[in-house]
Amino acid sequence: MWFGLFLVFVAVPLLELALLIKLGQWIGFWPTLAIVVGTAGLGTYILHRQGFAAFRRGMANLSAGTPPVEPILDASMLMGAGALLLAPGLITDCLGFLLLVPQIRRAVGKWGLKRMLAAGSIHVSTFSDPDRSPPDQKRHAGAPPHTGRRPSSNGPVIDGEFERIDEKLQKPMPDHETKPINPPPKRGNEV
């Protein structure tokens, strides 16, 4: 882990700087600067267009009642591509442009998801409209209502708190049965 952090924060910027210096010596300062600024601008434009497309796909999946796992992976890979493209340097620009290619982005996303699943557990729940759920999950007319047990199908789960009102409401006792809780103390002359 420490070696990976060393590479990210020390080795990669040093390699970027060395590559920019060599490129500047080879083609000149202004063309090198134009390449760095141009790749950042082009990457930002492409990132903006593809980011909205991933957002639309995620919203379409949510409205269909399916988990938006692929659009979330796409969006996270696009955010990584944007960070790489905005960092000055040619190595990070190349990696950022590679992540903008949909096939490479999906492959990297699936690889990362497999690593996360191997390292821990991920649970995805969706809340869907029962009228849009598949026919085998719909509640049929005449079916008994929910009994408090967890259903065997993978239907929606609703978390919440409840309070029983009938336990709080107590019937008032009739007047002839009411007794004072604490009777007044007796005085010396009273019997």
Side-chain angles (χ1 to χ4, degrees), residues 24 87 125 128 135:
S125 295
S128 63

Side-chain angles (χ1 to χ4, degrees), residues 73 77 107-117:
L73 283 176
M77 291 295 110
V108 171
K110 287 178 183 178
W111 174 81
L113 184 62
K114 285 180 186 177
R115 294 222 11 164
M116 283 192 301
L117 287 173

Side-chain angles (χ1 to χ4, degrees), residues 22-59:
K22 278 294 185 189
L23 187 66
Q25 289 174 347
W26 188 43
I27 64 171
F29 172 76
W30 292 111
T32 304
L33 183 65
I35 288 172
V36 170
V37 172
T39 56
L42 181 63
T44 304
Y45 172 74
I46 293 171
L47 177 68
H48 178 74
R49 291 197 54 184
Q50 290 191 2
F52 277 120
F55 177 73
R56 283 191 300 273
R57 284 193 311 272
M59 293 305 291

Side-chain angles (χ1 to χ4, degrees), residues 38-156:
T39 56
L42 181 63
T44 304
Y45 172 74
I46 293 171
L47 177 68
H48 178 74
R49 291 197 54 184
Q50 290 191 2
F52 277 120
F55 177 73
R56 283 191 300 273
R57 284 193 311 272
M59 293 305 291
N61 283 3
L62 282 176
S63 66
T66 59
V69 176
E70 186 179 335
I72 288 175
L73 283 176
D74 266 357
S76 62
M77 291 295 110
L78 286 171
M79 285 180 13
L84 289 170
L85 287 169
L86 292 177
L90 299 176
I91 297 171
T92 55
D93 284 345
C94 289
L95 293 175
F97 278 121
L98 283 176
L99 284 178
L100 290 177
V101 177
Q103 292 83 3
I104 295 174
R105 184 173 62 235
R106 288 187 188 109
V108 171
K110 287 178 183 178
W111 174 81
L113 184 62
K114 285 180 186 177
R115 294 222 11 164
M116 283 192 301
L117 287 173
S121 65
I122 297 175
H123 179 72
V124 178
S125 295
T126 61
F127 298 96
S128 63
D129 184 7
D131 293 333
R132 292 185 180 181
S133 60
D136 60 335
Q137 292 182 2
K138 287 186 183 178
R139 189 173 168 286
H140 299 287
H146 184 58
T147 59
R149 296 179 307 193
R150 187 176 179 112
S152 60
S153 67
N154 292 330

